[in-house]
Each structure stands twice: as structure tokens, then as C-alpha cells.
Amino acid sequence: MNHYGFRALAVCAALASLSAGCTQAPDLSAARAEAQKPLQRYDSIQALAAHGDVVAAGTRSGAVLVSADGGQSWRRETLAGPSSITGIDVCPDGRFIAIDFYRKLWTADAQLSAWTAQPLEAPHTALAVHCDRQGRWWVAGSGALIVRSDDQGKSWVRTDLQEDLQITTLQMVDEQNGFATGEFGTVVVTTDGGHTWTKRGALPAEFYPYAALFVSATEGWVSGLAGQLVHTTDGGLTWQAQVNRAGAPLYRIFMHAGSPHAVGAGGAVVRLQGDEWVAVAYPDARPVPLAAGVSVAANNTLLIGGPGGLLRAVTDGGASKPGAAQ
């Protein structure tokens, strides 16, 4: 074989080698392992609710993360889409209910074994969901509408406040007394189990409420724009401003370890201490908006959730709970 023949063989061998390399399947095992994790980086946690050790975390991307051990481990439940869970609550019997940006109401049993949806005709945009001590379902939102179901969603009773505003929070504190707050400093109350709602007082300076927590028919807190926090001890007739040391808007207020706690912008976790809201220190705090928080009484931790797949457990003493999703 002459010189040109050897060169031709060498070129053929090189091309064969290149061809084999191009057709070899890439190693995607790491990507597959990442995809199997229940919590994904694109998840944004928008709502949390707990009943004993059972916890549900609703995401913007149409999935619910479920934990049966107080947030130590999770499984992923993908909801039929499109779906985006914006609020979750728990009934006395352990049943979970959730509102969806796409005008649906989701329900699941106490073990969160399956989620089912039903259309939500009103309000057009649901902003608050609540299950009271009697197991009645409440939804409030745009169009100044409050709706109630006494039969687990089979029928609804509608209260129209006849105003152009959004109701952003609603809570029944006992069988007869409840509070709802909304745009322009609106406060409405019921004293007859929700059959009628009437205005009472007003939040200061056309307050826009993000979150509210009432611990009785007389005492409660409401958070709003620019880190505002106000407190009432007379059932909403008058309100007093409280100091928010975090200086950040707070998006959820809830009871934990016997005292009010809240989460909000800039990774803020705060608790009420006297008449001031002070920071709860925790490791590796991230300056992201925490849209969700809930107390898990079973292991005395609070769970916080936000964007970027952030879902973690924090103790009030400041240490992250081992094994929680980060």
C-alpha cells in the first residue's frame, strides 16, 4: 500500500472514531436523579398548612408537596393543570382545602392521599381560604365577595359587600365571630356565624392588608404594605401601630409556640415580643420573599417557604431542623 493508501485508512479510522463518539448516549443519570426529587428549583412555595405531622405545601407550578413527618421528608403530588395554589387551610377533621389561581377549589383527606378539584364560581379571584371550627368552608377575594359552604362545596352562600374592593384575609375565631379585611383599610365582622357581615372601624391610612391573625373576638393583628403592623384589642373598633424590627412587609401571620409569628420579604421571620415584632435568627437566611409559614406543633418547628425551591424548617432558637428540605 502506498503513502496515499495509509493516509486514507488513517482518515477513515479517525472518522469512525468521531462517529462512535457522536452516537454514544450522554450520561443523564444525574439529571434524572435531580428530576426525581420532590422539591424542584423552579418551585415557589405560596402556601403551607399543617395538621399534626401532616403538612401540605402549595406551589405556583401546580404541585403540592406532602409530608407525613412534620416536614422531614416530602413527596410530590402534581395537580391537573393549569394550577397554582395560593392558599391552604385545614379543617377540624384533618381535611385540607386549597384555592387555585385558576378558579378551582382543591380538597384532600387527612392523609393527603389524593387531591380533587371543583370549579369555584365566585369570587373571580380567590385571595383567602378558611375552614372554621364547624368544618364550614370560606373563600373571599375580588368583588368584595365572601362565600361559604356548609356542605363541603355542594352549595355556596354568597355575601356581597357591594363595594369595588378585594377581601384579602378571612378568619372565624369561634362559632359566631369572624373578621375579614380588605383594600382601603376595610374591616368587616360577623357576630352571627357568618350570616351577616358589617363594617367595623377601619385600618389606618387606607391600609392594604397582606395577612391577619385573630386570637379572640377582641384581639388581632394585621400586616400591610411597607412593613406596617397594627393591633386591636377591641374587636377592630380601633387599631394601634406596632414596631416591626424587620422593617419588611409580612405575608403570613400565624401562632407558633404560644405566640404570634410572621414571615415576609427579605427572608424575614419574626415573632411578637411585648409590643414589638423582633427577628428570629436562623442559619443561611436568604434575602427572598417568604410567602408561606406554618407552625408544626408535633416537632415544635416552623416551616417557611419561598421561591427557588426554598422549603425549610426553623426552630425558634435559630437552628435549622436536620433533614428538612433546603
Side-chain angles (χ1 to χ4, degrees):
M1 185 179 295
N2 60 25
H3 174 71
Y4 294 104
F6 282 113
R7 288 189 61 187
L9 286 175
V11 170
C12 289
L15 290 173
S17 176
L18 287 172
S19 175
C22 291
T23 58
Q24 184 177 357
D27 184 2
L28 299 177
S29 58
R32 293 192 188 97
E34 187 68 24
Q36 293 303 312
K37 292 181 179 180
L39 186 63
Q40 297 295 314
R41 292 183 179 180
Y42 57 80
D43 284 327
S44 183
I45 310 301
Q46 299 187 131
L48 281 161
H51 184 75
D53 282 336
V54 181
V55 186
T59 74
R60 181 181 299 171
S61 54
V64 175
L65 304 172
V66 175
S67 175
D69 53 15
Q72 297 300 297
S73 62
W74 299 88
R75 74 174 189 271
R76 187 180 192 86
E77 299 283 346
T78 301
L79 305 180
S83 180
S84 177
I85 299 299
T86 57
I88 305 178
D89 202 14
V90 184
C91 294
D93 63 358
R95 179 188 297 268
F96 286 72
I97 61 174
I99 49 175
D100 190 327
F101 177 79
Y102 295 95
R103 304 190 67 187
K104 291 174 284 187
L105 182 79
W106 293 88
T107 63
D109 61 21
Q111 288 72 44
L112 294 173
S113 56
W115 288 86
T116 58
Q118 64 183 72
L120 189 60
E121 294 183 3
H124 185 274
T125 301
L127 299 172
V129 63
H130 176 59
C131 190
D132 66 23
R133 296 181 185 181
Q134 297 170 272
R136 300 181 300 172
W137 299 357
W138 298 84
V139 179
S142 60
L145 287 177
I146 297 172
V147 299
R148 183 190 84 241
S149 177
D150 301 337
D151 53 13
Q152 297 186 340
K154 296 181 180 67
S155 63
W156 294 88
V157 177
R158 178 187 300 207
T159 297
D160 188 344
L161 301 179
Q162 299 292 320
E163 295 196 40
D164 183 16
L165 59 85
Q166 295 180 334
I167 300 295
T168 57
T169 79
L170 186 149
Q171 180 190 351
M172 295 294 295
V173 296
D174 55 39
E175 290 186 2
Q176 298 300 319
N177 297 284
F179 297 84
T181 67
E183 285 184 294
F184 315 120
T186 301
V187 179
V188 293
V189 302
T190 181
T191 57
D192 58 7
H195 295 290
T196 60
W197 292 83
T198 58
K199 279 193 172 183
R200 177 183 293 176
L203 298 165
E206 294 195 347
F207 197 101
Y208 184 91
Y210 283 147
L213 171 68
F214 289 88
V215 293
S216 70
T218 57
E219 186 173 24
W221 296 263
V222 181
S223 65
L225 291 169
Q228 296 165 298
L229 268 165
V230 292
H231 176 224
T232 183
T233 56
D234 57 14
L237 290 172
T238 61
W239 298 86
Q240 295 76 42
Q242 290 190 322
V243 175
N244 173 9
R245 292 294 181 188
L250 301 174
Y251 304 135
R252 292 288 188 272
I253 310 176
F254 51 94
M255 292 297 294
H256 173 67
S259 65
H261 284 61
V263 297
V269 179
V270 299
R271 68 169 178 267
L272 182 63
Q273 185 172 300
D275 290 330
E276 297 185 359
W277 294 76
V278 300
V280 173
Y282 61 100
D284 192 29
R286 303 178 190 176
V288 298
L290 300 177
V294 71
S295 177
V296 183
N299 54 18
N300 196 34
T301 61
L302 59 91
L303 289 175
I304 59 175
L310 175 62
L311 180 60
R312 56 188 300 194
V314 173
T315 66
D316 204 330
S320 292
K321 192 74 174 178
Q326 300 283 325

